[in-house]
Amino acid sequence: MKKTLLALALVPVLFASAANAQSAAYAIDPTHTFVTFEIDHFGTSTNRGRFDKKEGTVSFDRAGKTGKVDITIDTTSVNTGTAPFDGHLKSADILNVAAHPTARFVSDKFVFEGDKVKEVTGQFTLLGKTHPITLKANKFNCYMNPMVKREVCGGDFEATIKRSQWGASYGINYGFSDDMRLVVQVEAVKQ
């Protein structure tokens, strides 16, 4: 009788262990991961830039259709290809990198369509303010990378946010758009 009770008591533990065993850890590949932004410039052209330094982790369970992501972006690494513009973006007018040297996206809500990630909803912190955003997948795939001999998962994700919600309001009164398109190209290597 004691053995039966012990076996029954272990069932939930064994199922929990089996469920957790399917979740795998992935490390963001900084050479294939970029966070870029686009803002309309007076309806004439589009200002674009990217952040060159970022790091993070992903936990992903394809069978259980769950995941977690935590990406930190070094805002001091903003790069538009034009040094004076980069300097203005880093200033207190816009990104205020002296006070806020990082931005961060954290999520534990993945939405799947079949076995592909369709969107990731989480909290985005910029300029010390945190608000929810949903990154929609334009592309998602997992593959066995022939060079590193490990599984790599990733895709192209995007969201359009109101930058003023985070306090990045510079130029709106001149006619610059409040809408900012974020594009996250990410690949993560299974650990």
Side-chain angles (χ1 to χ4, degrees):
M1 182 69 161
K2 284 184 180 180
K3 286 183 182 178
T4 303
L5 290 175
L6 180 60
L8 288 173
L10 288 176
V11 169
V13 173
L14 294 173
F15 277 113
S17 296
N20 289 336
Q22 292 189 12
S23 183
Y26 293 75
I28 299 295
D29 176 357
T31 63
H32 289 92
T33 300
F34 295 97
V35 178
T36 61
F37 60 89
E38 300 177 355
I39 299 171
D40 181 77
H41 190 251
F42 292 111
T44 303
S45 63
T46 303
N47 285 331
R48 291 183 174 91
R50 74 177 194 195
F51 297 97
D52 289 335
K53 296 178 184 173
K54 61 272 156 201
E55 62 184 22
T57 58
V58 176
S59 173
F60 183 59
D61 179 356
R62 217 175 334 192
K65 298 191 186 303
T66 61
K68 292 181 181 182
V69 64
D70 189 339
I71 298 176
T72 299
I73 302 157
D74 180 345
T75 58
T76 69
S77 71
V78 68
N79 181 355
T80 63
T82 306
F85 188 29
D86 295 347
H88 190 214
L89 287 170
K90 292 176 187 180
S91 77
D93 282 347
I94 305 174
L95 291 174
N96 194 6
V97 300
H100 304 285
T102 61
R104 189 173 178 204
F105 178 70
V106 178
S107 170
D108 64 0
K109 184 176 181 198
F110 284 31
V111 175
F112 284 74
E113 188 172 272
D115 64 348
K116 304 263 185 193
V117 175
K118 181 180 173 183
E119 62 185 39
V120 178
T121 299
Q123 300 293 316
F124 181 55
T125 302
L126 177 69
L127 292 165
K129 295 181 179 158
T130 303
H131 298 286
I133 66 170
T134 297
L135 295 168
K136 296 189 185 287
N138 293 327
K139 199 187 268 196
F140 181 83
N141 188 44
C142 293
Y143 67 99
M144 182 55 70
N145 184 301
M147 290 164 275
V148 297
K149 307 285 191 254
R150 291 187 189 168
E151 182 182 53
V152 174
C153 292
D156 291 339
F157 296 82
E158 72 174 81
T160 299
I161 65 172
K162 297 287 185 196
R163 59 191 177 92
S164 61
Q165 189 175 9
W166 282 266
S169 301
Y170 180 84
I172 292 172
N173 58 332
Y174 300 140
F176 298 160
S177 177
D178 189 18
D179 288 343
M180 180 170 71
R181 182 174 174 243
L182 288 175
V183 179
V184 181
Q185 167 196 329
V186 61
E187 290 193 24
V189 181
K190 190 173 185 179
Q191 299 302 292

